[in-house]
Amino acid sequence: MTSSKIEIPGEVKSDPAALMASLQLMPSPVPNPEIKYTKIFINNEWQDSVSGKVFPVYNPATGEQICEVQEADKADVDKAVQAARLAFSLGSVWRRMDASERGRLLSKLADLVERDSVYLATIESLDSGKPFLPTLFVDLQGTIKTLRYFAGYADKIHGTSIPMGKTVKERISQMWNFPLMMTAWKLGPALACGNTVVLKPAEETPLTCLYMAALIKEAGFPPGVINILPGFGPTAGAAIASHMGIDKVAFTGSTEVGKLIQEAAGKSNLKRVTLELGGKNPNIIFADADLDLAVEEAHQGVFFNAGQCCTAGSRVYVEEPIYDEFVRRSVERAKRRIVGSPFDPMTEQGPQISREHQSRVLEFIQIGITEGAKLECGGKALGLKGFFIEPTVFSNVRDDMRIAREEIFGPVQQIMKFKTIDEVIERANNSDYGLVAAVFTKDISKAMTISTAMQAGTVWINCFNALSTQCPFGGYKMSGNGREMGENGLKEYSEVKTITIKMVAKNS
Amino acid sequence: MPVIGVGIHQSGGTASASPTERKNYSLSSQPANGYEHQSGNGFNHQDHNSQNADGLETNALPTPIANPQIVYTKVFIGNEWHESCSGRKIPVYNPTTEKLLCEVEEADSDDVDKAVRSARAAFQMGSPWRSMDASDRGHLLNRLADLVERDRLLLATLEALNCGKVFLVAYFVDLMATIKTLRYYSGWADKIHGKTIPVDGEYFTYTRHEPIGVCGQIIPWNFPLMMFVWKIAPALCCGNTVVIKPAEQTPLSALHMAALIKEAGFPPGVVNVLPGYGQTAGCAISHHMDIDKVAFTGSTAVSINLSTVCLCEQLALFWFCAFHSCTNELLYCNHAAHMVVTGYQVGKLIQKAAGESNLKRVTLELGGKNPNIVFADCDLEYAVEQAHSGLFFNQGQCCLAGSRVFVEEPIYEEFVRRSVEKARSKVLGNPLLPGVDQGPQINQKQFNKIMELIESGKREGATLECGGSPGGQQGLFIQPTVFSNVRDHMRIAKEEIFGPVQQIMCFRSISEVIERANATQYGLAAGVFTNDINKALTVSSALQAGMVWVNCYNAMSIQCPFGGFKMSGNGRELGEYALQEYTEIKAVTIRISQKSS
C-alpha cells in the first residue's frame, strides 16, 4: 500500500520500478529546482512587502521549509490596486489594445507555461505535495488549455444589437485565491474580458503563482495588468474583499470565508462577487452500473489529490443489491492505493497540505468511528515525516453523521446504501452544498431523471471529475455563486452596457 | 504618374508604398523572426539606391526574398504531392514581367475524385480527425498560424510575384489578415455550442453542431492567400475536410500553405489542394456527388475572347452556354467576339450545379458595384483619401471596390479635383520595389476588359479626368483613371470593372442617393461619409449591402461577418456567422420518464 520509503520524499529514484518508469517513458521532475521568485509582483516589478514581513513556505511531504516569501498586507494591496487601476484607466495601453491582441498575449502565456511545464509541475509538487505526474498531466494541461481557451474568446465577446439599440460589454477589475490551475481559471476569463487583476495565492502554495508572474511579464502584458500578492486571508485577503478601489472579487475556498467575502463586498462598495466554495458531493451508483467502472471512478472521485478537492465525491450512495460487493471492492482498491513521495512516479497519493489540515482530517475520522460508522480500512497518519494519511473507507454511514454532512477535504470515503430512486434523490439533495453530483447506471431513464433532479452545478453520468475548460463550473446553494469556465465564465467578468441612439427614420 | 517598371530606375516618386492604406490591420506588428536579416533588398538589385532616395526607413521595413525558389508545384492530396492524372500542367506567370514563373500540375475531374476520396476517408467516423478534441483542432490551426508567421516574408514575396500585389501591402495586409484569420478560428473550435431546448412533453432535447463533411472550396486570384484561409479556417475549425482549388493564375501561395498544413500536423486528407481551371476542376467540384458543400469566391470577371478559343475555353463556353439557355439576359456581348461572364454568373452556375447534383450546401461571395456616399458635411480631405484607397487598393481588383462614388453637389467639383490629384500621384511599378503604390493587372484578359470599359465610358459621355491609358511601355499596367460626370445608366456605373477606374457621380438629396445607390443587382458593401449622426444612421439602415462603413472604407476585420445582399452572394464569411455555413445542426431528443423543470 505504500511505496518503499516515504520518509525521504524528494528522492526521485528510490524504488526499482519507479527508476525504470522514470528512465523510460515518463517525464522526470527537475532535480533540486531553484526557487527564483519570492517577492510581491506589482506593475511587472518584484517588490519587498511594505511591512518588511516574510512568511515560510513548507514542503508538506517532509514538513521542511522550502523558502521564505514576502508577505503582502493591506498597504501592499493598496499599491497593487493603484497599479491595476492605472493600467485600467481610459486610454491606457491595456484599454486601447485590440481584443485579438489580448487573446494573443494569453496564448503566448500558454506557450510559456508549456515551455516551463516540467519545472512548474516540480515546484507545484514540492509546494503542495501533489504527485508529480498527475500534476504534469492534469494541472499543467488544465492550466495551458484554460489559457488557450480564453485566449480564443478575447475577440468573440459579442454584444447584441437589439431592434432599437446596441449593447456592448465592459470590464471590471478583480482578484482571488489558490495554486496553478486556479491561477489560470481566474486569469483566463478576467484578462480575456480586458480586466486588470490583483491576485492573492494561498499562503501555503505561492510558488507556482509567483513563477507565473515572471511568465506574464515575459509574455508582454503591460505593467499593472496582473499583480500577484502572496499573503494571508485575514490580512491581504480581507483588504482585497473590502477595498473601495476593487470592482469585483472572485474567491475559491471554504464556505465560511466565502460568506465573509460577500459580507465585506456589501459593506464596502457593492463589488461584484463570484464564489467557488465547498461541496459534499453525492455519487449515486445503481445496481445496473458497470461495477468495475463505478468502483474505480468513485475511488478516484474521492481520493484524487489526497481528497483535497471541492468536487470530491464524498457521499457514495450505492443501491442495495450491490452494496456489499461495492464496499468490498472499494476497500480492496483503497488498500492498493500507493501513498508516498510526490516525486515517485508510482505514487498515487501524496501528503495533505499541512500539519493542521492533517490533524483536522484525522479528527473527522475519529468522529466517524465514534458516531458508529464502520471503518473498513485506513484511518491513521502514515510515515515518519510529512503529513500523510492512509486511504480510509467507511461503510454503514448514516446521513446524519458529521462525516456525511461536512466537507472533510481528505482521503476518506463514505459509502451509504439506498433502495429507491426517489429516496436517493431526496437524500442526495439534502445538503447545504450543491457543487457536483454523479450517477452510474446503464438505464437512460434513470440517468436523465437523476441528472435533472440533482441540485448541483455539474452532473456527471458514468464518469466523475470529467471537468473541461469548455464547461461551466460552479455551485448551487452554499457551494458558491456564479460560474467559472466556458462561455458562462465570461459573464462574471464583464458589465453589459445598453447604448440607445435616436434615429430620424426607422427602417426595419 | 511616375512609373517604376522592371529595371527602370525610379527617381521621382513622391508617394511611398503605403501600408497605411488599411488601418484595420495593425502595422505595429514586427516582421517575422529571423527573416529581417534576409539579404536581397528588392527583386532587382539595381534599385537599392532608389529606396534610400525615397527616404523610406528601409531598415524598419521588410524586404522581399530575392529569387525565391518555387518548391511546390504539384497536386496535394492526402498530405502527399501527386502528379496530375492527365499529365497536363498549368503555366504560371509573373504579371509584372509577363514571364513564366513555373508550371504546376493541372488537376482535373479525376484528381478531384481522388481528393474527394481522401477527404471522405479523413472524415470517416473513428478517423483521427473525427475523434480529435475540438480544442486540438483549434491548436492545429494556431500552429498553422505560427508557421505562416515564420514564412511570412516568403509568402508575401510569392503573392507579389504571382499576383502583382505591392509587396509591402501583401506583407502588412494580406499576411497579417491570414495569420489573424487562422488564430481567430483557432479560438472558435471548442466554442461552437449547441443548446438544450425545453421541448413539450416528457423529452429532453439538445442540439449538436456537427461538421457538414467534405467541403469543396473555389477561390479567386485577387487575394490568393487570404481567400485560402478565409475558406479553410472556418471549415477546419468546425471539423470538416476540404478540397480546395486555388485560381489557375495564382496557385503558388496555396501550394506553400499545403506544405505548412502537413508540417503543422493535420491528418492526411483533411486538406487537399488542387490547382486547376474553373471549367474543369471547379466544375467537377460543384457537380461532385460526394462533396457536401461548396463555397465559391469569384469577384472576378472572366472574359473570353472567342477569336482565340483554346480547349479549356471551349469547355467554358459549353459550360456557360448551357447556363445561358435558361437565363438569357445576363450574358454580355459587347463586340461580336467578346463576351464577359461576371462573378455572379459563375456563382449562379455553381448553385445550379449543386441543385443538379446532390443539393450540396452553397455559399457564394461574388462581385460588387459598391456605392460610396459622400455628404457635403464630411471631413473632405479624409473622404477623398478613403474613397481613393477604397477603389484603387489592390489595383482595383477587389469585390469591395467603392466604384460608384456619389458626392453631394456643393462639394462635387472640389471632390473630383482632389481625387484626380490623388490618382495622379500614384506610383506604378514593380510591386516588389519600395515606393510603388500600384502593380500590374493580373493578366491580359483582365487588362483588355478594363481598357474596353474605359473606352465605353468615354464613348458614353463621361468625362475622363485622368489616366485611361496603359501605364509604361510594357506589362499589364493601367494608369489610375478617374471619370467624372458619370450617369447611372452608363456601363462603367453598372458593371464591375475590377480595375483602377474611379467613377464619381453627383447627388442632391438623401432619398435620391439612397435610391440610386440601391439600384443595382449587387449588394456587397457601401460607405457613407458624414458628420451628421442622423444621415449616417438613415443611410446605413437603408442601403442594401452586407457591410456598411460609416466614415471609413474597407474597414474589414476577421471578427465581422462579410458577405452580400442580392446577387453579390449567399451566406457570410468571417466572424461567428461563418460557423453556421460549415455546420449542420442535429437535434437529439431523448425520452425521459419524468419532467423536472
Side-chain angles (χ1 to χ4, degrees):
Chain A
M1 165 180 148
T2 58
S3 76
S4 43
K5 296 180 179 176
I6 62 167
E7 300 88 318
I8 42 165
E11 187 72 22
V12 182
K13 293 158 184 122
S14 53
D15 154 315
L19 178 65
M20 289 306 290
S22 66
L23 283 179
Q24 284 174 359
L25 299 165
M26 300 299 184
S28 323
V30 177
N32 308 315
E34 189 197 344
I35 307 295
K36 291 181 193 152
Y37 306 106
T38 59
K39 294 192 177 182
I40 295 171
F41 185 78
I42 296 176
N43 241 339
N44 280 5
E45 303 294 340
W46 297 104
Q47 310 195 353
D48 289 324
S49 64
V50 173
S51 66
K53 280 194 291 198
V54 293
F55 66 94
V57 176
Y58 296 100
N59 175 350
T62 60
E64 284 157 12
Q65 184 175 323
I66 302 169
C67 63
E68 288 185 325
V69 168
Q70 294 290 322
E71 184 192 329
D73 203 338
K74 186 172 181 316
D76 306 282
V77 171
D78 285 343
K79 266 171 73 180
V81 171
Q82 228 170 11
R85 192 42 79 189
L86 192 66
F88 190 70
S89 56
L90 194 74
S92 72
V93 179
W94 182 239
R95 293 301 293 275
R96 297 184 55 216
M97 188 179 280
D98 282 346
S100 63
E101 191 55 32
R102 289 205 304 270
R104 190 77 193 110
L105 287 177
L106 277 170
S107 179
K108 268 187 209 157
L109 183 58
D111 291 346
L112 295 176
V113 172
E114 195 165 45
R115 182 194 70 190
D116 294 348
S117 57
V118 169
Y119 175 81
L120 276 163
T122 306
I123 53 174
E124 188 82 333
S125 287
L126 194 67
D127 193 9
S128 70
K130 286 166 182 289
F132 170 75
L133 287 175
T135 303
L136 187 63
F137 293 127
V138 180
D139 298 55
L140 265 294
Q141 276 306 307
T143 301
I144 294 162
K145 287 200 168 195
T146 302
L147 293 170
R148 294 220 164 104
Y149 179 78
F150 286 106
Y153 249 127
D155 59 357
K156 296 170 187 74
I157 303 168
H158 298 151
T160 46
S161 70
I162 300 169
M164 151 183 192
K166 283 177 186 170
T167 58
V168 187
K169 294 193 173 170
E170 275 215 346
R171 333 120 224 259
I172 336 172
S173 346
Q174 69 113 140
M175 78 88 202
W176 75 283
N177 182 359
F178 237 60
L180 190 60
M181 201 158 95
M182 292 295 116
T183 308
W185 279 32
K186 300 286 188 244
L187 287 182
L191 298 176
C193 293
N195 300 282
T196 57
V197 174
V198 176
L199 184 151
K200 184 192 92 57
E203 60 270 25
E204 293 89 348
T205 54
L207 300 185
T208 45
C209 195
L210 288 172
Y211 190 78
M212 283 287 278
L215 298 184
I216 282 162
K217 186 174 179 179
E218 186 180 346
F221 284 92
V225 171
I226 300 139
N227 305 280
I228 295 182
L229 283 73
F232 290 87
T235 51
I240 287 170
S242 53
H243 205 287
M244 293 301 288
I246 288 180
D247 302 305
K248 188 228 160 88
V249 58
F251 169 75
T252 296
S254 71
T255 296
E256 299 98 287
V257 177
K259 291 169 92 169
L260 291 175
I261 285 178
Q262 187 143 346
E263 209 184 309
K267 268 192 193 155
S268 54
N269 59 346
L270 276 176
K271 55 176 69 67
R272 286 92 190 89
V273 179
T274 52
L275 303 169
E276 294 298 342
L277 309 174
K280 190 71 189 178
N281 308 293
N283 188 358
I284 300 170
I285 321 284
F286 284 96
D288 68 350
D290 176 337
L291 191 58
D292 284 338
L293 173 79
V295 167
E296 181 61 23
E297 290 283 317
H299 172 82
Q300 297 296 355
V302 73
F303 289 104
F304 179 70
N305 205 38
Q308 302 169 138
C309 295
C310 50
T311 60
S314 53
R315 292 186 293 151
V316 185
Y317 290 96
V318 181
E319 205 174 10
E320 197 178 26
I322 59 162
Y323 184 78
D324 291 342
E325 179 62 12
F326 188 93
V327 171
R328 194 186 65 71
R329 293 200 198 186
S330 295
V331 170
E332 194 184 281
R333 179 66 187 88
K335 283 184 172 161
R336 276 194 286 117
R337 189 170 184 82
I338 300 171
V339 183
S341 161
F343 292 115
D344 185 328
M346 305 300 284
T347 293
E348 292 177 277
Q349 181 177 319
Q352 307 309 122
I353 188 69
S354 65
R355 173 74 64 201
E356 303 77 64
H357 189 59
Q358 183 198 32
S359 312
R360 186 166 169 265
V361 174
L362 290 171
E363 199 178 304
F364 263 118
I365 294 172
Q366 282 313 310
I367 292 167
I369 297 170
T370 314
E371 292 192 322
K374 184 174 173 201
L375 180 69
E376 295 277 353
C377 68
K380 296 190 296 294
L382 193 60
L384 304 175
K385 279 182 170 185
F387 316 132
F388 298 88
I389 294 178
E390 292 176 339
T392 300
V393 177
F394 278 112
S395 66
N396 298 327
V397 179
R398 290 194 322 274
D399 293 358
D400 61 344
M401 294 176 179
R402 280 186 61 197
I403 54 169
R405 287 186 290 125
E406 294 177 29
E407 189 174 36
I408 301 173
F409 231 61
V412 188
Q413 185 177 34
Q414 286 64 239
I415 311 182
M416 290 90 141
K417 189 189 291 182
F418 76 92
K419 289 198 175 92
T420 72
I421 188 167
D422 292 340
E423 170 209 336
V424 78
I425 288 172
E426 197 190 318
R427 289 171 64 192
N429 282 338
N430 186 20
S431 163
D432 285 338
Y433 291 110
L435 192 57
V436 303
V439 52
F440 287 80
T441 176
K442 286 179 181 150
D443 181 329
I444 193 169
S445 295
K446 283 181 189 156
M448 299 307 298
T449 303
I450 296 278
S451 60
T452 48
M454 284 297 103
Q455 294 163 1
T458 300
V459 179
W460 291 301
I461 301 177
N462 293 329
C463 52
F464 203 94
N465 270 347
L467 285 161
S468 79
T469 313
Q470 295 85 6
C471 281
F473 178 83
Y476 278 40
K477 300 192 278 189
M478 305 258 286
S479 284
N481 200 337
R483 292 291 180 275
E484 296 189 287
M485 314 298 270
E487 189 178 7
N488 302 69
L490 300 172
K491 294 191 182 136
E492 312 289 350
Y493 289 99
S494 48
E495 291 277 14
V496 175
K497 175 186 285 174
T498 304
I499 298 175
T500 304
I501 309 177
K502 167 81 181 161
M503 287 184 71
V504 286
K506 187 162 212 162
N507 180 34
S508 68
Chain B
M1 56 240 50
V3 172
I4 307 180
V6 182
I8 298 170
H9 194 276
Q10 207 286 110
S11 54
T14 50
S16 63
S18 148
T20 54
E21 247 173 338
R22 297 294 164 97
K23 297 211 165 113
N24 44 313
Y25 294 123
S26 164
L27 304 181
S28 60
S29 63
Q30 297 303 306
N33 56 8
Y35 283 91
E36 303 96 297
H37 307 299
Q38 199 90 28
S39 67
N41 36 17
F43 184 51
N44 197 325
H45 289 268
Q46 73 185 61
D47 291 285
H48 187 223
N49 294 333
S50 70
Q51 291 179 346
N52 299 332
D54 277 344
L56 289 173
E57 292 178 4
T58 47
N59 291 338
L61 290 173
T63 52
I65 292 176
N67 307 314
Q69 231 196 328
I70 292 165
V71 183
Y72 305 107
T73 59
K74 294 189 176 179
V75 176
F76 184 78
I77 296 175
N79 278 5
E80 302 295 337
W81 298 101
H82 298 254
E83 322 260 298
S84 67
C85 295
S86 67
R88 283 200 305 267
K89 291 182 185 346
I90 305 173
V92 177
Y93 296 98
N94 176 349
T96 307
T97 60
E98 296 180 84
K99 293 212 174 89
L100 188 70
L101 279 170
C102 65
E103 289 190 317
V104 301
E105 297 288 325
E106 181 199 331
D108 201 338
S109 66
D110 289 343
D111 307 278
V112 170
D113 284 343
K114 257 169 83 179
V116 171
R117 278 197 299 275
S118 161
R120 179 60 62 192
F123 192 71
Q124 285 308 313
M125 187 163 152
S127 72
W129 183 241
R130 289 305 293 276
S131 43
M132 186 180 282
D133 282 346
S135 62
D136 288 334
R137 286 204 308 270
H139 197 50
L140 283 178
L141 281 168
N142 199 37
R143 209 179 289 165
L144 184 57
D146 291 343
L147 295 176
V148 173
E149 205 156 33
R150 182 195 69 190
D151 291 355
R152 189 170 179 174
L153 270 185
L154 174 62
L155 282 162
T157 306
L158 285 178
E159 289 291 80
L161 267 185
N162 190 189
C163 182
K165 276 175 185 291
V166 174
F167 169 77
L168 285 176
V169 175
Y171 186 88
F172 285 115
V173 180
D174 298 58
L175 265 292
M176 176 58 84
T178 298
I179 293 162
K180 286 198 169 193
T181 304
L182 290 167
R183 294 209 198 284
Y184 178 77
Y185 284 107
S186 131
W188 267 125
D190 59 357
K191 298 170 187 76
I192 302 168
H193 296 155
K195 294 176 178 170
T196 66
I197 299 172
V199 290
D200 292 348
E202 304 297 301
Y203 303 104
F204 170 71
T205 297
Y206 63 92
T207 55
R208 278 167 55 80
H209 294 203
E210 299 183 359
I212 297 173
V214 177
C215 298
Q217 304 182 318
I218 304 171
I219 56 172
W221 46 260
N222 58 342
F223 293 90
L225 183 59
M226 210 166 96
M227 290 298 115
F228 185 86
V229 298
W230 278 28
K231 289 283 182 287
I232 67 158
L236 298 178
C237 152
C238 295
N240 298 280
T241 58
V242 166
V243 174
I244 185 166
K245 186 193 90 58
E248 65 270 22
Q249 298 90 344
T250 54
L252 299 185
S253 53
L255 290 172
H256 188 83
M257 286 299 284
L260 298 186
I261 282 165
K262 184 174 180 178
E263 186 180 348
F266 284 91
V270 170
V271 181
N272 304 279
V273 183
L274 283 73
Y277 292 95
Q279 300 87 345
T280 53
C283 182
I285 287 173
S286 49
H287 278 98
H288 206 287
M289 292 300 289
D290 203 27
I291 286 183
D292 301 302
K293 188 226 158 84
V294 61
F296 169 76
T297 296
S299 40
T300 140
V302 181
S303 79
I304 286 162
N305 191 327
L306 287 184
S307 59
T308 57
V309 172
C310 70
L311 173 67
C312 35
E313 283 169 343
Q314 280 173 345
L315 284 167
L317 190 59
F318 172 77
W319 193 30
F320 72 67
C321 283
F323 141 79
H324 185 224
S325 62
C326 33
T327 56
N328 50 22
E329 84 287 5
L330 289 165
L331 209 59
Y332 297 106
C333 299
N334 316 313
H335 304 308
H338 193 234
M339 303 199 308
V340 175
V341 183
T342 67
Y344 67 65
Q345 290 169 317
V346 178
K348 289 174 95 172
L349 290 174
I350 285 175
Q351 187 144 349
K352 185 159 164 270
E356 264 174 11
S357 55
N358 60 346
L359 276 176
K360 53 177 69 67
R361 285 92 189 88
V362 179
T363 51
L364 303 170
E365 295 299 340
L366 309 174
K369 189 74 189 176
N370 309 292
N372 191 359
I373 299 172
V374 183
F375 284 96
D377 69 349
C378 72
D379 175 341
L380 185 60
E381 189 54 34
Y382 175 71
V384 166
E385 139 65 28
Q386 289 282 299
H388 173 85
S389 50
L391 182 281
F392 290 100
F393 180 67
N394 206 41
Q395 292 72 246
Q397 301 170 141
C398 296
C399 50
L400 290 175
S403 53
R404 291 187 293 149
V405 185
F406 291 96
V407 180
E408 206 174 10
E409 199 178 24
I411 58 165
Y412 184 77
E413 280 172 24
E414 180 62 12
F415 189 95
V416 170
R417 195 188 63 74
R418 294 198 198 187
S419 294
V420 170
E421 200 177 278
K422 199 135 192 71
R424 285 206 168 117
S425 74
K426 254 185 142 51
V427 182
L428 270 65
N430 184 338
L432 287 166
L433 301 181
V436 168
D437 298 323
Q438 183 179 318
Q441 308 306 125
I442 186 71
N443 59 21
Q444 191 69 47
K445 283 179 195 165
Q446 285 296 315
F447 179 89
N448 292 346
K449 192 197 99 180
I450 296 162
M451 291 309 296
E452 194 268 321
L453 275 163
I454 291 173
E455 285 311 310
S456 84
K458 291 194 238 172
R459 218 175 31 246
E460 292 187 314
T463 309
L464 179 67
E465 296 277 353
C466 68
S469 317
Q473 274 93 31
Q474 66 165 119
L476 302 168
F477 296 89
I478 294 180
Q479 291 177 348
T481 301
V482 177
F483 278 111
S484 66
N485 298 322
V486 178
R487 292 205 311 282
D488 294 357
H489 71 273
M490 295 177 180
R491 281 184 58 206
I492 54 170
K494 288 194 300 180
E495 294 176 28
E496 189 175 34
I497 302 173
F498 231 64
V501 188
Q502 185 176 35
Q503 286 64 239
I504 309 182
M505 291 89 140
C506 182
F507 77 91
R508 290 205 173 86
S509 77
I510 187 166
S511 52
E512 170 209 337
V513 77
I514 287 171
E515 197 189 318
R516 289 171 63 192
N518 282 338
T520 167
Q521 285 178 312
Y522 290 111
L524 192 56
V528 52
F529 288 82
T530 175
N531 285 330
D532 180 330
I533 192 170
N534 289 324
K535 282 182 191 157
L537 288 168
T538 302
V539 170
S540 61
S541 49
L543 289 180
Q544 295 160 359
M547 286 142 291
V548 178
W549 292 299
V550 179
N551 292 331
C552 50
Y553 202 90
N554 270 348
M556 303 273 307
S557 76
I558 313 307
Q559 296 87 3
C560 273
F562 175 93
F565 278 36
K566 302 192 279 187
M567 304 259 285
S568 283
N570 199 338
R572 291 293 179 273
E573 297 190 286
L574 301 184
E576 188 179 6
Y577 293 87
L579 302 175
Q580 291 168 16
E581 313 287 349
Y582 286 99
T583 45
E584 290 277 12
I585 294 174
K586 178 186 283 174
V588 180
T589 298
I590 306 176
R591 169 94 193 156
I592 54 173
S593 49
Q594 191 189 36
K595 184 166 235 169
S596 170
S597 66

